[in-house]
Amino acid sequence: MNATPTPRGHAVVIGASLGGLLAARALSESFERLTLIERDELPAAPDHRRGTPQDHHTHGLLARGRHALDQLFPGFTEELVAASAPLADLQADMHWYFDGRPLAPTRSGLVGVAASRPLIEYVVRSRVAAIPGVTFIDRCPGLDLTTSPDRSAVMGVRLLGGGEGAGERVIEADLVIDASGRGSHSPVRLEQWGYGRPREDRVHIGCTYMTQMYRREPHHLDGRIGTVCSSYPGQPRGGIILAQEHDRFIVTLAGVLGEEAPSDRAGMIAYAETYAAPEFAEIIRTAKPLGEPVQMRYPASVRRRYEDMAAFPEGFLVVADALCSFNPLYGQGITVAALEAVLLTDLLAESRDDLWRRFFRGAAELVDTPWALVLGGDLRHPQVEGARTAQSQNFAEYMTRYWSAAHHDALLGTALLRVTNLLDEPASLLAPDLVDRVTANC
Ligand SMILES: Cc1cc2nc3c(=O)[nH]c(=O)nc-3n(C[C@H](O)[C@H](O)[C@H](O)COP(=O)(O)OP(=O)(O)OC[C@H]3O[C@@H](n4cnc5c(N)ncnc54)[C@H](O)[C@@H]3O)c2cc1C
């Protein structure tokens, strides 16, 4: 991050989930006052809320995202650990099944922290709330954006009345950020203002999560913190087991292409027995369930191409899931939101000029790799629609051999996890020494 500018002016962030909180952290270095506006009542402790239905489900935090969060909030990882979230080596202390075969385990040096989504959000929210000049307006039932008469700039937010502290009033702002998630109204608003909608890329995956929390005992999974089992052509079922704070496991049985796990215990066990990873059935059969299973459907990854727009109102940006929402099985959303926040901090430290163009261009570069990983993985299913080039087919075929070889060669597994954790580019897997190891091991 660059040198800190003198803070001036007021910025408003719509949505106080992780995307909005991280954007607020970025703005806090250059704006004197910040207002976060949230539809939900924000809980005073780690808890679920209506506006983030995904918070009942497994949230893996990629290594790159954890690093970015530590950069934005020094001591973030330690705070999660102090709240009893387990810290572990991602390859030695977890099992990874790709194409039905486990990666060879080894100490990779890749460290992950396993925390529930409500805890992650709570810790970030507490840090943002402690920044001088930050105000939260929650329980906001509705809002609209105000613009200049010629609609060349967004001037603020009109609160449409309702809860405490959110009467009918206009809040002026030098910058408004839309962090309202994948249901963002920005494309519609831009069309109404005469800018047209951004081009949208969609990858329909038809994913369903069935998630249940369990009591974690020391003997479970021989002390490991979790297992990831990917779906692959011919096997639309996959899932995640991940330790959580307070001696719990969260278990998600995921299906793609319309495949859905049942919610009754016997059905879940039978479903999990079809997995290559025996851990899923083992935990569901032997661990004590806590609460009821919760289902969530995720139809498609959506990327909005604001960087391609010819014109855009000044004083306005769109971030995080509102900009790009990824198939959750890749665990990328928080990491990309954090990387966008680091980008925004740096851009604002340089200048506020032409911010939308510079931000959307930089964010598009950040999103390219995680989006390519989603495309590469999802397009392996022949039923998923999308452009398959000869190059992407060759890479997919190479990766099939790679995963098979990584079953024997732990170093290949580490290189792969570095890519899926967004630390290295996918092209790094084509380094000559790795290609040789793939050839030697499959
Ligand atoms: C099932 C599932 C599993 C996931 N798993 C992972 C994972 O393992 N790892 C990972 O990194 N990411 C994961 N994600 C993605 C992650 O949850 C998001 O990327 C992250 O929450 C950032 O999203 P966001 O803040 O942009 O939007 P959201 O989290 O959707 O939040 C939008 C916020 O805006 C508020 N809001 C909406 N409209 C208004 C309005 N008009 N006025 C005021 N407030 C408004 C909502 O109440 C909400 O608080 C998962 C997502 C899903 C759906």
Side-chain angles (χ1 to χ4, degrees):
M1 283 185 271
N2 292 337
T4 316
T6 309
R8 62 187 164 89
H10 178 222
V12 165
V13 179
I14 302 168
S17 173
L18 281 161
L21 293 167
L22 292 164
R25 166 64 186 81
L27 299 173
S28 67
E29 295 196 8
S30 20
F31 286 84
E32 213 172 356
R33 288 183 303 118
L34 275 172
T35 305
L36 288 104
I37 301 175
E38 170 55 49
R39 199 162 41 195
D40 280 353
E41 177 169 4
L42 293 170
D47 208 346
H48 303 289
R49 57 190 184 81
R50 207 164 154 221
T52 51
Q54 74 270 32
D55 66 17
H56 289 274
H57 300 274
T58 313
H59 271 65
L61 185 53
L62 302 183
R64 179 95 184 270
R66 192 175 65 76
H67 296 165
L69 280 156
D70 275 335
Q71 185 183 350
L72 293 162
F73 303 104
F76 168 79
T77 300
E78 287 78 2
E79 212 173 323
L80 291 181
V81 172
S84 79
L87 193 70
D89 187 284
L90 288 177
Q91 197 172 354
D93 304 322
M94 279 188 77
H95 277 176
W96 298 84
Y97 286 74
F98 289 99
D99 282 6
R101 305 181 81 189
L103 288 188
T106 190
R107 206 140 283 281
S108 64
L110 288 168
V111 174
V113 63
S116 70
R117 159 69 200 229
L119 177 62
I120 295 172
E121 186 174 307
Y122 173 74
V123 167
V124 173
R125 187 164 65 242
S126 306
R127 290 293 194 100
V128 171
I131 298 173
V134 169
T135 306
F136 284 83
I137 298 178
D138 64 354
R139 287 175 286 165
C140 171
L143 57 79
D144 210 347
L145 302 190
T146 59
T147 63
S148 57
D150 64 357
R151 296 189 160 164
S152 63
V154 169
M155 307 300 284
V157 171
R158 179 180 299 109
L159 302 181
L160 300 178
E164 208 175 283
E168 183 106 23
R169 61 181 163 129
V170 170
I171 302 180
E172 290 177 1
D174 303 288
L175 178 62
V176 174
I177 294 203
D178 173 10
S180 64
R182 61 183 274 130
S184 154
H185 292 167
S186 287
V188 174
R189 286 192 176 113
L190 287 164
E191 188 166 51
Q192 287 167 351
W193 295 338
Y195 292 91
R197 288 181 183 233
R199 181 166 67 82
E200 221 174 65
D201 294 341
R202 277 180 186 260
V203 185
H204 288 270
I205 188 63
C207 178
T208 302
Y209 272 31
M210 181 64 73
T211 300
Q212 165 89 63
M213 202 69 88
Y214 295 90
R215 172 70 51 218
R216 180 185 179 211
E217 308 287 350
H219 66 272
H220 281 140
L221 307 189
D222 295 326
R224 289 187 308 278
I225 66 153
T227 297
V228 174
C229 192
S230 71
S231 62
Y232 53 95
Q235 170 54 299
R237 300 175 179 184
I240 311 157
I241 304 173
L242 198 60
Q244 309 275 270
E245 69 275 8
H246 305 313
D247 299 322
R248 295 173 301 164
F249 271 127
I250 190 165
V251 178
T252 292
L253 300 179
V256 296
L257 305 167
E259 175 74 24
E260 298 191 356
S263 60
D264 63 291
R265 185 169 176 274
M268 286 172 78
I269 292 171
Y271 195 88
E273 277 171 344
T274 67
Y275 286 30
E279 293 96 318
F280 287 84
E282 177 198 324
I283 293 294
I284 299 170
R285 197 181 288 112
T286 64
K288 183 182 177 217
L290 304 171
E292 296 297 318
V294 180
Q295 190 194 59
M296 183 165 181
R297 294 195 179 91
Y298 182 93
S301 301
V302 180
R303 181 176 184 181
R304 301 191 173 113
R305 299 288 196 156
Y306 289 104
E307 70 276 13
D308 289 349
M309 292 188 73
F312 196 82
E314 296 298 329
F316 186 48
L317 293 178
V318 181
V319 300
D321 280 23
L323 183 64
C324 185
S325 158
F326 305 91
N327 176 345
L329 285 166
Y330 298 79
Q332 299 168 324
I334 301 171
T335 295
V336 172
L339 296 176
E340 287 172 13
V342 173
L343 168 73
L344 186 56
T345 310
D346 286 348
L347 294 179
L348 285 167
E350 286 163 16
S351 115
R352 293 187 184 182
D353 295 343
D354 209 18
L355 187 62
W356 71 268
R357 222 183 288 273
R358 290 158 60 228
F359 176 76
F360 288 133
R361 200 185 300 137
E365 281 171 21
L366 289 178
V367 166
D368 276 345
T369 295
W371 185 257
L373 290 174
V374 169
L375 268 185
D378 289 358
L379 288 177
R380 291 182 76 220
H381 297 283
Q383 302 91 326
V384 174
E385 285 177 24
R388 291 168 174 83
T389 62
Q391 195 191 4
S392 68
Q393 294 281 68
N394 286 342
F395 190 66
E397 280 161 26
Y398 172 69
M399 286 312 298
T400 302
R401 287 190 289 124
Y402 191 107
W403 288 318
S404 168
H407 175 58
H408 305 288
D409 184 338
L411 187 143
L412 288 175
T414 306
L416 177 64
L417 291 180
R418 289 189 62 81
V419 169
T420 57
N421 277 275
L422 300 180
L423 295 170
D424 291 338
E425 288 295 315
S428 66
L429 301 178
L430 294 166
D433 59 320
L434 297 187
V435 173
D436 289 348
R437 295 177 89 111
V438 170
T439 309
N441 280 289
C442 63

